[in-house]
Amino acid sequence: MTVTQRTNRVPQEERTRAMRARLLEACVEVLAERGWAGTSTTVVSQRAGVSRGAQLHHFPSKSDLVVAAVEHLTQARRAELSAAVAALGEGRSTGAVLRMLADLFTGPVFTAALELWVAARADDALREVVAPFERHLGRETHKLAVELLGADESRPGVRELVQATLDLVRGLGLAATLGDDTARRARILDQWALTLDAALDAAPATPAAPAPTPDLQES
Amino acid sequence: MTVTQRTNRVPQEERTRAMRARLLEACVEVLAERGWAGTSTTVVSQRAGVSRGAQLHHFPSKSDLVVAAVEHLTQARRAELSAAVAALGEGRSTGAVLRMLADLFTGPVFTAALELWVAARADDALREVVAPFERHLGRETHKLAVELLGADESRPGVRELVQATLDLVRGLGLAATLGDDTARRARILDQWALTLDAALDAAPATPAAPAPTPDLQES
DNA sequence: CCACAAACAGTCAAGCCTGTCTTTTTCTCC
DNA sequence: GGAGAAAAAGACAGGCTTGACTGTTTGTGG
């Protein structure tokens, strides 16, 4: 640890980390602003204020950059989620939790993730990278939602209702990308909160007759 | 009607229509298979079996092609919806309706629409075209869902529940693009069918206390 | 049958994107 | 301080995409 030099007080390992972070940050921003098709390496390097040469030094190919950006973005989403939970405090009404989730799924960070998500569908290599991260984060989010909503997953159907809630906010987030949905979304969430509350702590959602129609291919 | 010529039995107006249709069809297919970023005019013309010259004759710019494809795709979605409703027949259990909707929002036609949807977010011109069509189709789908579910929209909250259902299947459709969700989706839908039934025809979803938390910015 | 226009075919240039390469600067260790 | 490596900068080539442009075929009306 006895560092001899006094001219450079910043070890360049630190600077390297910072430059990589700037590039990843810029990549996410560009993704959110211009979409996947508009995210060229040139634009990202310009946005990051990094020369193209330096960029290609740290990320030899675009794939390397994107893969790292996926990881970075996942971390960002995790952090955002934690922050939002902390901001919730203790007044965790169902409505407040739902609004929090919906806010998360309407912000620029989700938007960037959405772009990657959709792009990954047609790109095998990208999908291999995105899918695992999304699975992990999805599980974490689910766990957190269960906790925040005070749901008892041992009851039949409760787990599915929480999943449905998360898929709903995903759908709402998607709908919000075209045009401003805020008012409509708020109404839907309010109603969903009522229904969810009733379904969660009232009856165990009619344990009898799990599948009324027998025409189902999947097991 | 007294057509004098006997050599050409197909008026080229018909052929023009057919060629345009082939191009639009190909555009939608490519959109679903390769995504927005992979949809180049060259690929579309090849896919349609149409020379690039002919393509540029019918659609002078890529924008012209895409705009027409949006319209075409909307029509296709409408047709698919009608067909699915017809296939449902009279046995319209809530579960069956939900499965039908989810199938629609998991198929290639929806996928193509999803690509356009997401691409439109970062492209002002495209958004201006996509948004109105989506609004119209959205309203039609909502109306149809209300009818199929036998929902009484005069009751408070019912409208929002139907909207939530559609947003939910949108979210499920999005989730299905990465990896195969079929089993999970089926479970979620089954549970939601139960909950929705209970919420729709049981109580009017607690008409008192519409918003338990007063900390709401939006009106 | 001819003239004219629409439909069709394909080439070409300009621009962008990616990734390789060379050169220059900066850091680090001896 | 100097040698060597890592980092940074930027030029360059190859490929792809778009749309303009020219030439060719086909259909239609006189």
Side-chain angles (χ1 to χ4, degrees):
Chain A
M1 285 301 178
T2 55
V3 191
T4 358
Q5 70 275 35
R6 64 270 179 267
T7 52
N8 70 321
R9 50 200 62 225
V10 181
Q12 103 287 22
E13 187 189 336
E14 195 71 22
R15 299 203 303 164
T16 291
R17 203 191 315 277
M19 180 158 279
R20 285 178 59 103
R22 272 228 306 280
L23 280 166
L24 297 180
E25 201 68 42
C27 186
V28 171
E29 288 171 15
V30 172
L31 224 35
E33 287 175 16
R34 303 197 182 190
W36 172 257
T39 301
S40 71
T41 58
T42 313
V43 172
V44 171
S45 63
Q46 284 174 348
R47 175 83 181 217
V50 166
S51 81
R52 214 175 130 51
Q55 180 191 39
L56 259 68
H57 174 72
H58 292 291
F59 302 101
S61 78
K62 181 177 184 177
S63 173
D64 294 317
L65 174 66
V66 170
V67 167
V70 169
E71 190 166 357
H72 179 80
L73 181 58
T74 306
Q75 273 301 108
R77 289 224 274 158
R78 223 186 298 270
E80 202 180 43
L81 183 59
S82 297
V85 171
L88 259 188
E90 289 301 323
R92 293 172 180 174
S93 71
T94 302
V97 173
L98 256 50
R99 273 191 292 277
M100 180 269 278
L101 284 173
D103 283 348
L104 247 53
F105 281 72
T106 334
V109 181
F110 167 78
T111 302
L114 176 62
E115 291 286 342
L116 283 174
W117 191 297
V118 173
R121 189 189 57 84
D123 183 330
D124 295 339
L126 184 57
R127 192 175 54 244
E128 296 294 312
V129 178
V130 170
F133 280 102
E134 194 61 40
R135 261 197 300 274
H136 281 144
L137 187 59
R139 269 195 266 271
E140 291 174 25
T141 309
H142 178 88
K143 200 165 224 170
L144 221 150
V146 169
E147 190 184 332
L148 291 177
L149 293 171
D152 178 8
E153 278 201 315
S154 66
R155 288 202 219 165
V158 166
R159 176 177 180 77
E160 282 73 19
L161 278 178
V162 175
Q163 287 180 313
T165 301
L166 290 174
D167 280 307
L168 169 66
V169 291
R170 226 195 303 275
L172 288 174
L174 178 57
T177 58
L178 287 208
D180 188 6
D181 255 37
T182 317
R184 185 187 82 104
R185 188 167 56 248
R187 285 196 300 271
I188 294 179
L189 286 174
D190 282 344
Q191 185 54 45
W192 185 271
L194 293 176
T195 310
L196 190 58
D197 270 337
L200 281 186
D201 51 49
T206 61
T213 50
D215 52 61
L216 213 120
Q217 285 111 312
E218 279 80 53
S219 63
Chain B
M1 283 299 183
T2 54
V3 191
T4 358
Q5 70 276 35
R6 64 272 177 267
T7 52
N8 71 322
R9 50 199 63 222
V10 181
Q12 101 287 23
E13 186 190 339
E14 194 71 24
R15 298 201 305 164
T16 290
R17 203 192 315 277
M19 180 157 280
R20 285 179 59 102
R22 272 226 306 280
L23 280 167
L24 297 180
E25 201 69 41
C27 186
V28 170
E29 288 172 15
V30 172
L31 224 35
E33 287 177 16
R34 303 198 182 190
W36 172 256
T39 302
S40 73
T41 58
T42 313
V43 172
V44 171
S45 63
Q46 283 173 349
R47 175 84 180 218
V50 166
S51 82
R52 211 172 136 51
Q55 180 190 39
L56 257 66
H57 172 73
H58 291 292
F59 302 101
S61 79
K62 182 177 184 177
S63 172
D64 293 319
L65 174 66
V66 171
V67 167
V70 169
E71 189 166 357
H72 179 79
L73 180 59
T74 306
Q75 273 302 107
R77 290 223 275 158
R78 223 186 297 269
E80 203 182 41
L81 184 60
S82 297
V85 171
L88 258 188
E90 289 301 322
R92 294 173 180 174
S93 72
T94 301
V97 172
L98 257 48
R99 274 192 291 279
M100 179 270 277
L101 284 174
D103 284 348
L104 246 54
F105 280 73
T106 332
V109 181
F110 168 77
T111 302
L114 176 62
E115 291 286 342
L116 284 174
W117 191 295
V118 173
R121 188 189 58 84
D123 184 330
D124 294 339
L126 184 57
R127 192 175 54 244
E128 296 294 312
V129 178
V130 170
F133 280 103
E134 194 61 41
R135 261 197 300 274
H136 282 144
L137 186 58
R139 270 197 264 272
E140 291 174 27
T141 309
H142 179 89
K143 201 166 224 168
L144 221 150
V146 168
E147 189 184 335
L148 290 178
L149 293 171
D152 177 8
E153 278 202 314
S154 66
R155 288 202 220 166
V158 166
R159 176 177 181 79
E160 282 73 19
L161 278 178
V162 175
Q163 287 180 312
T165 301
L166 290 174
D167 280 307
L168 169 64
V169 292
R170 226 196 303 275
L172 288 174
L174 178 57
T177 59
L178 286 209
D180 188 5
D181 256 37
T182 318
R184 186 188 82 104
R185 188 167 57 249
R187 284 196 300 271
I188 295 178
L189 287 173
D190 282 344
Q191 184 54 45
W192 179 242
L194 293 175
T195 312
L196 187 59
D197 270 338
L200 281 185
D201 51 50
T206 61
T213 51
D215 52 60
L216 214 120
Q217 284 112 309
E218 279 80 55
S219 66

